Amino acid sequence: MFRHPFRKAFGLTFLYGFIIIGIFILQFRSESVILKNAGLLRISVSQTQDADGNMSLKNTVGVSFKGISFTADDVHPAVLLNSKTQNQTPLILLSWEQPSPQSFKFNFTENTALTFTVSDTSPRASLSIAAQLPDSDSSLSLYYNPVSGYSVTEQSRSKQLFSSKNISYTMSANQIKDTQIILTKNANVAMYTRLDPTKAFTFASIPMDSQTATAAAYETTVSDFRNTLVSQANSAFSDSSTISETVVAAFVAEMASQSRYQEAIKAVPDSFKNGARRTYFTSPYFNTLVAMNPSLVMANENFASMIQNAIEHNSIDVFSADNIADYMLRNEKLENVKLLADLPATIQDFQPTLVQATSILQVYLSLKKADSPLAEAFQPVTEQCLNSITQACTLSVSDDTLTLHDRDFAAGFVQTVETGTVLINYGKLFAVPEYCAGGYMLINTAFAQNKAADLRTLAELYPILIKNNANYPHSLVMDKNSNETVWAWTCASNITYEENENSSEALITVSFKQGDSHYIIINGIKPFVGIEIYGLSFHTDPRFETYNSSGYIYNEKTHTLFLKSRHKVSNEKIRLYFSTVRNE
């Protein structure tokens, strides 16, 4: 039995070796790898052949570019994460395509896709990675690692620097982890760009031939935005449970700017008009002024509290609160408001974040436009705010884009548009065209990268982008010369307030489209003994909002006039008669 052990061992070894080699031969005959190039971009996709000769894709994707590689396979899958449920779903490759000579698109399960695009075929090309995601609550993670000869030399939450001996690239994304980039619905693009350390960005360095830095491209972007908002809002009104007050305000204001105000009012579902989700904010459109006024009072109290807290803690974050500039304008005589205006200039080593710099400049511009004495306090810090915005910018000449990164975070869609708008307004006010160009470029880039923005986001952007539409509910200071500032919450294009020489009468003139009705809350009106509208004497009536005519009710305790303006003419005149001289 053991007479020829060596011969038997040799025979078994040969047999096993033959079998193993055969398996490898069969495997390589049934599997293949597709390789494609586009300049510095190289992709590989594996496929396998079944017994009938049919080819099918394996779940194996490899993408490499100068200094970096990306992988999506069974070991390191691309993963879809739902932020609400926290469910993680590994993605499987379904197909791939080449939509252009410089891009490759990979389609995965769960209605997701990744598109890799190289800017050009030169050695200085940049790479973009765009994710297609199924809904706004999802994000996608993609595995990456530096290739041989490159290493990560600097990193933050949203940016990394890949360096070799003589060349560096920056990768920016919504979030970057040690081996993964995270893309979201509203920040669905990552960039990998060659770094030239000798060229620090300035707005003057934006190329003169940049198409995205033009006012014409910006106007097209804004026009498309307005049309999209109206279209999406009309569709959303079929399910009133999804409607927010900001959506309704943006929709009505935009329709009013197109002379379709009555059509807009009728389009808003009654369930919203009569529901509990309304506040003072949309009261200029839908009446119930007295019932909604407490929420306006509360908003003012909240502003006062926030300002007090900011002063006590030397915090400039309060400037990012919505409508803070309006509150300051109608209360500019208050000591705390003056102290708040002085606050930024008192901070030692003032280095604002992108959000802080943008909001401070926005407040400054609003005060400056209104010719408020408070604006002067901000002038010492405007240059540093502009510097902070400049340092947050990343210019990609190859694909004509300008993006923002604030320290460890990639700026979101809304923040980018807000910063861009501030730059445009600053550039126009002080005749600095390069700031306008930077603002145009930021906004055009942001919209190009966020084409699938939802209705709520569009509504949030509306008052930022469309600042010249007075049909959007707003605060309007009518008179600040008296002891008590007279101001209105309105959607009228203009309201003026004038007293005669002895302060025995006051004339309020309200400008709005003839034939349309709207509602106004006017604060700071001292008690009066008579009121005329259209030259006719009117009396207070709790049901004034239900009549097809102008009317009013007055709260003497709070000096608040609630007014319905019916507009038989464009400029409706309301005359108040006082029993005594008002300034006594």
Side-chain angles (χ1 to χ4, degrees), residues 494-506:
N494 191 36
I495 306 177
T496 61
Y497 178 93
E498 298 176 279
E499 292 185 6
N500 62 3
E501 291 184 359
N502 62 5
S503 296
S504 62
E505 297 180 13

Side-chain angles (χ1 to χ4, degrees), residues 16 26 29 52 63 96 183 188 204 267 324 438 440 455 471 492 533:
Y16 293 153
L26 288 173
R29 284 185 61 190
D52 296 328
V63 179
W96 72 279
L183 303 175
N188 67 327
I324 185 71
Y440 297 145
L455 179 58
N471 297 125
I533 306 175

Side-chain angles (χ1 to χ4, degrees), residues 432-453:
V432 188
E434 56 262 38
Y435 286 134
C436 292
Y440 297 145
M441 199 172 191
L442 281 172
I443 292 172
N444 289 328
T445 299
F447 273 94
Q449 295 178 350
N450 294 274
K451 294 181 179 179

